[in-house]
Amino acid sequence: MLVRAIEEADRIVVGRLVLELWGAHTAVAHGQVFFPASLPGFLVEQQEQVVGLLTYAATDGHLEIVTIDALRRGRGVGSSLVDAAVRRARQLGCSRVRLTTTNDNLDALRFYQRRGFRLTALRPDAVREARRLKPEIPSVGDYGIPKTDELDLERWVAPR
């Protein structure tokens, strides 16, 4: 597995993946609209195929994971992407890595907490507001759970 930074030549591939995996060219979290295909991030390649993607935005002393997708689960792709984001946060002098997910995403909640992330905020009914910015967000998510709330998770990044 090769983890590498997204390059300008990758933007078309990243845009296609974001559209396929997220249902639109945008991602919405905490009332903010992101355009993942234009953000910095990482790709994971295996045998010349993209098997993972992470995009991020870095501001105010933290690195925010905007999108993360392991196209092959259970093989370390997601962990490799999180590790790359933590390394980049250190390089940028960020003290935290944070992300937002939704209440239905139980697999993600388990994944992040096992990798040192802690729940830091709950925004009840935030997904209803997010749908105003991105109508493609489904009303029912994983395991048939209504998708209603946003949850923030953070991981402290120790300085070098």
Side-chain angles (χ1 to χ4, degrees):
M1 252 187 327
L2 169 68
V3 180
R4 65 174 181 82
I6 293 172
E7 300 172 357
E8 284 309 309
D10 299 317
R11 294 294 172 191
I12 292 172
V13 171
V14 171
R16 192 172 341 120
L17 279 170
V18 168
L19 180 59
E20 178 183 324
L21 298 166
W22 292 79
H25 292 289
T26 58
V28 176
H30 47 80
Q32 186 172 354
V33 178
F34 296 92
F35 294 89
S38 66
L39 294 174
F42 301 97
L43 293 173
V44 178
E45 295 176 328
Q46 193 170 38
Q47 298 174 345
E48 298 184 22
Q49 288 188 326
V50 174
V51 296
L53 167 67
L54 179 146
T55 61
Y56 67 86
T59 56
D60 299 329
H62 69 269
L63 184 145
E64 179 170 3
I65 296 173
V66 175
T67 66
I68 180 171
D69 294 285
L71 304 175
R72 296 185 183 157
R73 292 188 176 196
R75 297 184 181 176
V77 174
S79 295
S80 296
L81 288 166
V82 168
D83 291 346
V86 169
R87 282 192 304 275
R88 181 58 48 91
R90 279 193 189 104
Q91 292 168 349
L92 296 173
C94 297
S95 62
R96 299 171 289 158
V97 174
R98 77 176 201 186
L99 59 91
T100 300
T101 191
T102 50
N103 62 289
D104 67 299
N105 203 345
L106 303 179
D107 293 336
L109 288 167
R110 181 183 67 218
F111 173 82
Y112 296 126
Q113 289 180 83
R114 290 181 67 194
R115 281 148 190 87
F117 287 83
R118 297 187 62 182
L119 288 162
T120 57
L122 163 67
R123 283 186 299 285
D125 291 323
V127 178
R128 183 179 322 162
E129 297 301 316
R131 274 192 202 94
R132 291 183 183 156
L133 300 170
K134 183 181 174 181
E136 298 86 356
I137 298 172
S139 59
V140 177
D142 296 342
Y143 305 106
I145 299 171
K147 193 179 286 213
T148 55
D149 310 321
E150 287 184 346
L151 301 163
D152 290 344
L153 294 98
E154 288 186 0
R155 176 176 163 178
W156 177 257
V157 176
R160 288 184 178 188

